[in-house]
Amino acid sequence: MEAISLTVTTPSVRPELLPILEKSLKRQTFKSFEWIVGSPFEYKEADIWVKDPPKKEGDYYSLNKSWNAMFKKAKGKVIVNVVDGIELLPDTLGRLFSHYLINPKACITCVGDQYDERGVCVWQDPRKRIDFGSFYPVSHPEMEFCVVSFPRAAVNKVGGIDEEFDKYAALSEKEMAARMYKMGYTLWID
């Protein structure tokens, strides 16, 4: 059996959006990956399904608990989080794994735009810029988990995402990126 190089994690509460990502994962040129879906419903097309942990009193959601549960199941050296409804370019996983091979301490957030059902761009990622090229360092406030990669060792070193952020809607990924940076990991955007 071939070792898994990369783990794709996907938290989801929208079953209708998972097939979009599933099709895009099947088109990836890099094949040494597993796909873990964390959700309240079972998604049989994923390699591993992790049932959403229950909310605690006062929680807005259980997203961060779900991420941590998926991270614990991950076998890949690199974790790539991709939210449901995302369509990746066919070389995305390969590029992210190549970045890891070049710099095993690289944490990389990716840019992307939103399109409607006709293919018309309805939102452009404000982090996308060309004055630094297409790959450059960023600070932790620019780290988004829509599409992001980081070494599994980094997640283990910082102890995952702080689940206290389940009481609020946002910022947990930025706080985790700040802790990774303090531990010597580098933050990039591609």
Side-chain angles (χ1 to χ4, degrees):
M1 184 172 150
E2 183 182 335
I4 301 294
S5 298
L6 187 147
T7 298
V8 175
T9 57
T10 303
S12 179
V13 294
R14 303 174 293 193
E16 70 280 6
L17 295 182
L18 282 169
I20 296 168
L21 176 56
E22 180 190 350
K23 286 180 198 168
S24 138
L25 289 174
K26 287 181 179 177
R27 289 192 308 262
Q28 291 300 298
T29 55
F30 183 88
K31 301 292 185 189
S32 180
F33 70 91
E34 65 181 346
W35 185 29
I36 301 176
V37 171
S39 64
F41 53 86
E42 186 173 5
Y43 193 71
K44 294 184 189 297
E45 290 76 7
D47 296 311
I48 299 169
W49 169 61
V50 174
K51 184 171 177 52
D52 265 0
K55 292 183 200 178
K56 292 180 181 174
E57 187 176 334
D59 282 353
Y60 176 75
Y61 53 26
S62 61
L63 173 63
N64 299 297
K65 289 178 200 60
S66 183
W67 266 325
N68 284 335
M70 289 186 287
F71 296 160
K72 286 179 183 159
K73 297 271 186 188
K75 295 180 190 134
K77 294 177 185 172
V78 175
I79 295 174
V80 176
N81 188 76
V82 184
V83 298
D84 55 18
I86 298 282
E87 209 171 320
L88 301 171
L89 295 173
D91 67 342
T92 301
L93 297 183
R95 284 180 61 176
L96 291 171
F97 193 72
S98 292
H99 285 308
Y100 168 78
L101 293 175
I102 293 165
N103 178 358
K105 289 201 157 208
C107 304
I108 303 159
T109 186
C110 299
V111 297
D113 300 329
Q114 290 180 350
Y115 298 85
D116 66 14
E117 59 281 345
R118 298 165 295 149
V120 174
C121 184
V122 294
W123 180 83
Q124 288 189 322
D125 194 324
R127 299 172 305 146
K128 187 174 15 176
R129 48 191 295 184
I130 57 170
D131 52 336
F132 293 134
S134 64
F135 185 75
Y136 52 90
V138 294
S139 61
H140 69 277
E142 292 190 74
M143 296 298 286
E144 294 286 341
F145 273 25
C146 292
V147 180
V148 67
S149 75
F150 36 80
R152 189 177 78 203
V155 175
N156 294 340
K157 196 169 190 175
V158 301
I161 295 183
D162 186 343
E163 294 178 3
E164 281 298 304
F165 279 93
D166 278 342
K167 292 181 177 14
Y168 316 99
L171 302 178
S172 58
E173 70 275 12
K174 293 158 188 353
E175 190 274 337
M176 184 170 122
R179 286 186 285 129
M180 287 178 174
Y181 182 75
K182 286 181 182 178
M183 295 274 193
Y185 289 86
T186 55
L187 310 178
W188 302 86
I189 195 163
D190 188 351

